[in-house]
Each structure stands twice: as structure tokens, then as C-alpha cells.
Amino acid sequence: MTGRDGTPPGPYDPSRYDPRRDGGLYRPADPGPGPDPDGADDSDLPPPLDPIALADRLALNRAGTFDWDLDRRTLELDACGLEVFDLRPEEYDGRPASLAARIPPEEGYRLDAAVSQAIQDGAPSYGVYFRVHCRDGTPRWTHTQGHLLRDGDGRPYRIVGLVREAGTELADSVLLRSLQENRQRQTVMVQQTTAALSRALSVADVTRVLTGTGGARRFGADALILGLVDSGRFEVIAITGLPGTTPEDMMASRLDDTLPLSDAALTRRAAFLSSRGELIARYPRLRPYLDRIPTGSAVFLPLVAQDRVVGALGLFNAEPKQHTAEDRNLALALAGVVAQSLQRATLFDQEREFATGLQATMLPRLVPDIAGGEVAVRYHAASTGRDIGGDWYDVIPLPQGRTGLVVGDVQGHDTHAAAVMGQLRIALRAYATEGHAPETVLVRASRFLAELETERFATCTYVQADLESGALHVARAGHLGPLIRDAAGHTDWHPVRGGLPLGLATAFGQDHFPETQLFLEPGSRLLLCTDGLVETPGEDIATGIDALAAAVRDGPTGLEALADRLSDELWARSGSADDMALVLLHRHPSAGTAPTTPRFRLHVHQADPSGASEVRAMLRRTMDQWRAGSLAYDIEVAATELVTNALTHTDSGALVTVELLPTRPGVPGGARRRIRLEVEDRSSRWPRRRTPGETATSGRGLMMVEALADSWGAEPRGSGKALWCEFALPGEE
């Protein structure tokens, strides 16, 4: 470079550097008063600039300083730093947490991560871009650069640095990032909506997805309206986010162009409106309802699936908005997803309506009146799937005043299960009406099911009830047994032998369903149910069985009220994952008689080798309920001996009766309650007490009864006899 006169400037001298002239060129040092050695005149130079302090220079560049004391947890900001965060001095108390009013949580996490990483890596400084929210809500890009001060051990104790606005330098990159984030947001919205609607089976499920938590936000809207087209009319089926109640004439109307949703469905064209004013101008019919319409933008989308308009979707925003091409594409894509879901759900509802109608025709429409008692029934289909299943019940009038009670469950929860159930119910009803014994009824029903062209099997319990005598003849095919609650409030699942499920029993050549005889005393109740009433997903079925027994024991006295309690509480609370059927039978108390004596009866077949064990099991539970204490073992032994004698020495079975007799004041030995055990057979041959020798293998049964009981004896009973014994309860006077 040369001087003004063209001569070389000489060697560089920093003291002569003056950035105010010659664009930053250096000049010779000022020699003082007198002419310039170069002969140049300084009169043409501008006056010297005033010196600018560092703080002023930072302020001109929209930058400030901060001093962060990590030990005291204080962060000092100068005036320029406060301006960067758009804070007034009185709004900031020197704590870093106070900046949360301006720094969004996601930006704060990113800022903390940068500082923590610098501390962890031992770096001397860090820098990071982040956004703050100004007082008016607009975002502002900001950059901070901090230098970490460490003590002798390398522990950071202070950070000093700069914070400045960075909006201009990041304008282009932020725009690109914003576009990328917007595309990502749109992709996430479509994915979330598709995933949520993929689990919706019915139209009700679709509306729950759209109106549930976050439903409208999945579409980037604040409010949402959904309607369906049906036979030339438009019906609104879902609304969320709109204030007040919607007028009736807006909920259902003819398909025309006076309302936006109806117009979209009629023309198959989407409407994108930027404000409420534009909406009212286009659809004047909405003018009386301004208070119910958001002030912002609105979108109305036709829902078209397989070239058929199924409905329309309306989206509303609280703020006006000009819809970009990307916004329109996103809305149309979401409308396609909703349209496909609605079409699938409509077909599902039609199929379910047909299936439930078919099942309703297969279940009994009327429950017959029965002499000496009353019956209550309930049925609920599973709340998942097609609301249809294979459970059924039936109440069948039988010859000689008896009544047949049936509950069963065909495998599966579909239309095929319902069809098989209907056929099996009719067949079983026909076999029962012919007057066959319960075992025969189930054998024939099993063979009928095996001959059908199906792989389904069924479980079932059939009870033939004679309410005049209280006798219950029960047969069971892989199903739950009966639950009986007596007049005293005791409940028990009585043991009932059973066979394999219907169909399987015949396929395996084991179609044998042994019959068990129970007795329903006056004032007692019988419950038959399917497993949907006791099974809860993730829990042991024993828990449900115990809960059902407790509900029957403590439930309402009215039979219909008890049926409602069981179905509404137990079934609905368990999750309703399975269908459920129940039958309740109540035997009326005898007119004009005193309250019934606690009692149970059990019939033991002569050819049944397990009969005695069933009697013992029944006695154990009953003795526990009656608080028999140490007498329970003696009564069990006596019952075993008497039952064994009846099965061994007669040609009939045995009828076992156990009663809890009340006290009888004034009668010798009647000051205490007693337990009476009776074993009845049909043999007229009277028992004979023997005195067996030491080597005898029999003959000691009556001796043991006499030794254990307080009293015993025999009584004639029609065509046979009954051996009885009584035990006084201990501790009562």
C-alpha cells in the first residue's frame, strides 16, 4: 500500500492504526503541532467519534452479560440481558428458576443439557441456541455463550458469559427446521389418529376416539363435529369442544347446502374458511348461533369411502388462520382415515345387529310361572366384539308339575357360536319336555351336538326341580354347579358330580353324566350361572366364586333385585370380557308355618362308590356353618356308618338329611340345640344291633352310632325306614 503521495507508508506501527479513516488503513503517527510531514491537510477528515462503552456496544448488538454463581444458585443479568429475555428489572429476582416464565420447558431441558455436558466433559465453555417466549407470546431465538470458572480441584463454581438475540442469523435455518417439525407433526398426527381408530370396532367406538381426551387435538383443532349421511338426511352423532347445547334442527336435517357439514357431504368438496365471519357469510343460516361458533378458522371435510359418502367432519379453531397447502393435504388425509373407519364400523354394527337379533330369537322370550316358587333370569352379551356369544339359559315346564332349569355356554363369541347355541337349546328343551331324567337329557344333547357339522363344544348344567317336595335332580357337563342359599342365610356350592362338556363327551366315548340329588328347603334359593359371572381377567376364578357366594348371601331379599345386583355389579365390574347368563330359583316358604329349620339333604345312589365321601364333605361345610366344633367328627363318622349300612344291606340308595333343631323348653334334654342326622332307605327290613366278636369284620356300625350319639333310633317311612341319631351342641344350656 502507499500513502497519499504514492510513497510507501513505511513499517507497520500499531500506534498509528485509526479505524475511523481510510476504511481501516493505518497512517503515520501524529507529530504534534505544525505542518504534516506528508504535506496532507487533516481539515477534510470528519470529527473523531465519541468513545462507546462496552455495555453500549453490547446493547447495540442486542446482547447482554450474565454472571451465574453455581454455589449460591444466583444468576445476575445486566440491563441488556434482561431485554433479551423481555423482562423488566422488577420481574426478575436473580434466581435461574425465574427465567422459566420466558423459557419453554423443552428449551430449558436442552439448555440444561448443554451446560451439564460442558461440566461433565471438563470443557472451558459452551454455546447453545434456544428460544424464549416474549411478553406478547411471540418466540425469539437466542444464543448464549458461557465460560466456566473452576477451582483448584477442577470443580466449576461460576459461569460468566453473553446472551444475545439470534433471530436474524437463524431465520433461514429456523424456517427450514420449522418446516421439518411441521411435517413431522403432521406425520405423527396421522399415525396417532390411524392407530386410535384401528382399535375402534363400532360407530360408538369411533365417536369415543374422536370426542375423547385429545380427540380434536389429533386433527390440530380445538373443536370437532362428526355427522353421518342416512337416506338423504344428515345426522350429527358427535360434538366436542363447542360451548353450549346444539339446537335440535342442527343435529338432524335434510341433505342440502344451507349447513356446512351437509353441504360438504352433498357436494363432496372440502371447505377451508379462515374465520367465523367468512363462515357466517357463506352459511347465513348459522347467524343466530354465533355464540356457539368459535371465532377462528373452520374446515369441513366430506368423508368418502369406496366412492360413497358416509358423512362429514367439521374442525374448528379458536384463532383465525390461513390454511396452507400442507394444512389442506393433512386434513384430507385424516378425513380419509376417518371415512374408512366409519365405513368399517357401520358394517360391523349391521352385522352385530343381525347377530344379536338372531340370538334374541333363540333365547326364551317369556319365563313361565311355576307353582310354589318364582324364577328370575338375566343375560348379558360380552361388551367387546360383536356383543354376541354362546351363553344361554332356559326354564322348561315339565310333566307332573316339575320345572327344568338350564344354563350353558357354547365355545366362542361369534355368530357361529350363537347359531350352535340356538340349535342345542331347542334340542335340549325337547329332550327335557319328553320327561327324561337329567342324565338322559345331557347324553342325548351331547350326541346331538357331536352330530352337528361343528367343532364347537358346550358346557351345561341341567336341574330338574320339584318345588312341592324340594327335590333337585342335577346333572352337569363341564359346567359350574349350583349355589344354594338357605332360609337362614347360609350359602354353599354343593358338590355335584359331572362329565365332560357336551360334544366332547360323545367324541371320547364318555357320554355319562351322573345325577346328584339335592333338596331346596322352603325359603331357599338356587343359583345357576355361566363362568362370565365369576371370571375376571388376571384373577383366580376362586376369587370370583367366593365373591358371587358373598353377593348371594348378603344380597337383596327380592329375587329380581338380587338378579339385578349380580348382573349389574359383579358382571359389569369384572370387565365384561365374557357373556353371562344366570337363573335364580326361589322356593316359597310354606304358608302359615314357622321359619324353616336349617337343613340339607343329599341323595346317594347305591352304585355310587364316592357317595359317602360327598356326604362327609357336605357335613364338614355344614358343621362349620352351624358351629358344631368337636361334634363335627362324631357326626361325620356316624353318617358314614349309616350310609354304608344302607348301601350294603338294602337294594336302594340312601337319602341323607341333617337338621339343626331348636331348643325345646320343658322337654327333658331340650335345653340345648341339637343336630339330627337321618339316613333313609326303601327297605322294610329293620336294623338289628349285633355284638360282634374280636375277630369279626362287620357288625360294629350301630355300636359306633350308639357310642357317639346322645340318642338314636329307627322310624318307619312309607315303603322304607329311617335311622336317626341326635347330637346336643356343646356349651349350650
Side-chain angles (χ1 to χ4, degrees):
M1 290 185 176
T2 59
R4 293 179 181 270
D5 58 357
T7 60
Y12 169 68
D13 183 356
S15 64
R16 295 182 295 169
Y17 178 72
D18 187 355
R20 293 175 297 176
R21 52 177 297 188
D22 297 329
L25 297 178
Y26 61 88
R27 63 182 180 82
D30 188 358
D36 190 328
D38 295 332
D41 187 3
D42 290 339
S43 61
D44 59 336
L45 294 177
L49 297 177
D50 295 331
I52 300 178
L54 176 62
D56 296 331
R57 298 176 189 175
L58 293 175
L60 290 174
N61 287 277
R62 304 289 289 177
T65 64
F66 69 87
D67 190 341
W68 189 356
D69 191 325
L70 300 180
D71 293 332
R72 292 187 175 86
R73 299 181 180 180
T74 60
L75 193 151
E76 297 181 3
L77 286 170
D78 63 6
C80 296
L82 291 174
E83 290 183 5
V84 170
F85 286 100
D86 198 11
L87 288 171
R88 299 187 181 99
E90 64 272 12
E91 295 176 336
Y92 183 64
D93 59 2
R95 295 183 301 110
S98 301
L99 297 178
R102 292 289 182 262
I103 303 177
E106 61 274 13
E107 298 295 327
Y109 296 147
R110 193 153 55 85
L111 183 59
D112 290 343
V115 177
S116 300
Q117 189 66 38
I119 294 175
Q120 181 178 353
D121 295 343
S125 62
Y126 67 89
V128 62
Y129 289 93
F130 62 98
R131 282 179 294 188
V132 299
H133 281 170
C134 296
R135 190 179 308 278
D136 59 0
T138 58
R140 172 184 293 172
W141 276 103
T142 306
H143 180 264
T144 181
Q145 183 77 31
H147 184 82
L148 283 75
L149 302 180
R150 303 176 185 270
D151 58 17
D153 297 329
R155 183 183 65 86
Y157 64 91
R158 186 177 178 186
I159 301 176
V160 294
L162 299 175
V163 59
R164 61 185 178 83
E165 291 188 18
T168 303
E169 64 188 77
L170 290 181
D172 295 337
S173 61
V174 170
L175 178 60
L176 293 176
R177 183 185 300 176
S178 177
L179 293 175
Q180 292 175 353
E181 291 178 350
N182 190 41
R183 293 191 186 100
Q184 184 178 5
R185 178 183 60 84
Q186 293 176 354
T187 302
V188 171
M189 289 171 60
V190 174
Q191 291 175 344
Q192 290 178 344
T193 304
T194 303
L197 291 174
S198 66
R199 297 185 292 271
L201 296 178
S202 63
V203 173
D205 294 336
V206 174
T207 58
R208 277 193 292 269
V209 171
L210 298 183
T211 60
T213 304
R217 299 309 305 170
R218 291 194 185 97
F219 298 85
D222 299 313
L224 176 149
I225 296 182
L226 175 67
L228 297 180
V229 175
D230 184 18
S231 302
R233 294 186 61 80
F234 189 86
E235 180 180 358
V236 175
I237 63 171
I239 299 177
T240 181
L242 293 181
T245 58
T246 304
E248 290 295 331
D249 61 337
M250 296 292 157
M251 296 296 294
S253 62
R254 62 187 180 89
L255 205 61
D256 57 23
D257 59 356
T258 61
L259 293 175
L261 287 175
S262 177
D263 185 26
L266 184 65
T267 62
R268 296 193 176 195
R269 291 196 299 268
F272 296 88
L273 308 175
S274 59
S275 65
R276 183 172 64 182
E278 188 176 350
L279 173 64
I280 299 301
R282 186 164 178 176
Y283 299 100
R285 185 177 170 183
L286 296 176
R287 191 175 300 279
Y289 312 109
L290 285 175
D291 57 336
R292 296 182 178 89
I293 302 175
T295 59
S297 61
V299 177
F300 302 97
L301 305 165
L303 303 178
V304 183
Q306 295 183 350
D307 200 32
R308 175 176 171 268
V309 179
V310 297
L313 178 66
L315 304 174
F316 298 89
N317 287 95
E319 300 295 333
K321 176 183 179 181
Q322 292 292 335
H323 297 91
T324 65
E326 292 183 348
D327 294 334
R328 296 170 183 259
N329 292 335
L330 174 63
L332 294 174
L334 292 174
V337 174
V338 175
Q340 294 293 334
S341 299
L342 276 177
Q343 184 190 46
R344 183 180 65 250
T346 301
L347 295 176
F348 176 87
D349 285 345
Q350 293 173 352
E351 180 183 353
R352 181 172 58 181
E353 182 180 359
F354 168 76
T356 52
L358 174 65
Q359 187 176 36
T361 60
M362 293 178 177
L363 291 173
R365 294 189 177 184
L366 296 175
V367 176
D369 295 330
I370 58 176
E374 62 177 317
V375 176
V377 297
R378 292 292 185 273
Y379 172 80
H380 285 293
S383 61
T384 57
R386 291 173 171 80
D387 287 0
I388 189 171
D391 286 18
W392 89 92
Y393 66 87
D394 208 347
V395 181
I396 310 169
L398 300 177
Q400 302 176 353
R402 295 170 298 168
T403 302
L405 307 174
V406 186
V407 291
D409 183 3
V410 175
Q411 175 195 13
H413 300 88
D414 51 20
T415 307
H416 183 58
V420 172
M421 176 272 291
Q423 298 177 76
L424 182 59
R425 186 187 77 85
I426 294 172
L428 193 147
R429 185 182 183 91
Y431 298 142
T433 306
E434 291 174 354
H436 297 293
E439 179 179 4
T440 304
V441 171
L442 293 191
V443 168
R444 295 193 175 189
S446 180
R447 293 174 182 175
F448 171 83
L449 182 57
E451 293 173 359
L452 292 179
E453 294 183 358
T454 179
E455 296 180 354
R456 305 295 176 93
F457 62 85
T459 63
C460 178
T461 294
Y462 174 57
V463 177
Q464 190 181 88
D466 183 356
L467 293 188
E468 183 177 353
S469 64
L472 305 174
H473 297 270
V474 186
R476 187 170 61 87
H479 202 81
L480 288 173
L483 173 66
I484 295 180
R485 178 189 184 274
D486 62 24
H490 299 132
T491 58
D492 195 13
W493 293 93
H494 289 265
V496 175
R497 290 167 297 158
L500 295 176
L502 303 180
L504 288 181
T506 302
F508 288 109
Q510 299 181 20
D511 47 359
H512 172 60
F513 306 95
E515 180 181 314
T516 301
Q517 185 177 5
L518 305 174
F519 285 87
L520 191 66
E521 300 297 335
S524 300
R525 296 174 178 178
L526 168 76
L527 168 69
L528 299 176
C529 68
T530 57
D531 57 5
L533 195 60
V534 295
E535 283 188 335
T536 301
E539 292 187 6
D540 189 351
I541 190 173
T543 303
I545 289 176
D546 293 340
L548 177 58
V552 172
R553 181 185 63 246
D554 304 329
T557 56
L559 205 64
E560 293 293 335
L562 177 60
D564 290 337
R565 174 77 62 85
L566 298 179
S567 60
D568 294 343
E569 291 189 6
L570 287 185
W571 177 78
R573 186 170 54 199
S574 67
S576 311
D578 195 3
D579 40 350
M580 177 278 295
L582 69 84
V583 176
L584 281 169
L585 171 66
H586 174 64
R587 185 184 179 192
H588 291 157
S590 300
T593 62
T596 59
T597 301
R599 173 195 305 171
F600 88 82
R601 288 181 178 177
L602 184 65
H603 184 268
V604 181
H605 291 268
Q606 185 182 33
D608 181 12
S610 62
S613 64
E614 292 183 3
V615 171
R616 288 193 296 269
M618 180 74 72
L619 279 171
R620 292 189 196 104
R621 290 193 297 271
T622 305
M623 293 305 103
D624 288 342
Q625 293 176 351
W626 293 352
R627 305 294 190 270
S630 59
L631 278 183
Y633 179 75
D634 295 344
I635 297 172
E636 185 178 335
V637 172
T640 302
E641 294 299 330
L642 294 180
V643 170
T644 302
N645 284 344
L647 299 181
T648 303
H649 301 296
T650 69
D651 295 329
S652 67
L655 177 60
V656 182
T657 303
V658 181
E659 294 180 288
L660 179 61
L661 301 179
T663 59
R664 295 183 295 175
V667 177
R672 292 189 291 178
R673 291 186 301 166
R674 292 159 296 123
I675 294 177
R676 182 182 177 91
L677 169 66
E678 291 185 359
V679 177
E680 183 179 345
D681 60 56
R682 296 182 181 179
S683 174
S684 59
R685 184 180 177 184
W686 212 249
R688 181 173 58 90
R689 185 181 182 280
R690 294 183 289 172
T691 306
E694 294 181 359
T695 60
T697 58
S698 63
R700 297 184 177 86
L702 292 180
M703 292 179 61
M704 296 178 65
V705 172
E706 182 180 18
L708 295 173
D710 294 316
S711 59
W712 72 282
E715 298 176 354
R717 293 289 174 85
S719 60
K721 65 181 181 302
L723 270 68
W724 61 270
C725 55
E726 293 185 357
F727 301 81
L729 288 176
E732 292 191 1
E733 291 295 340

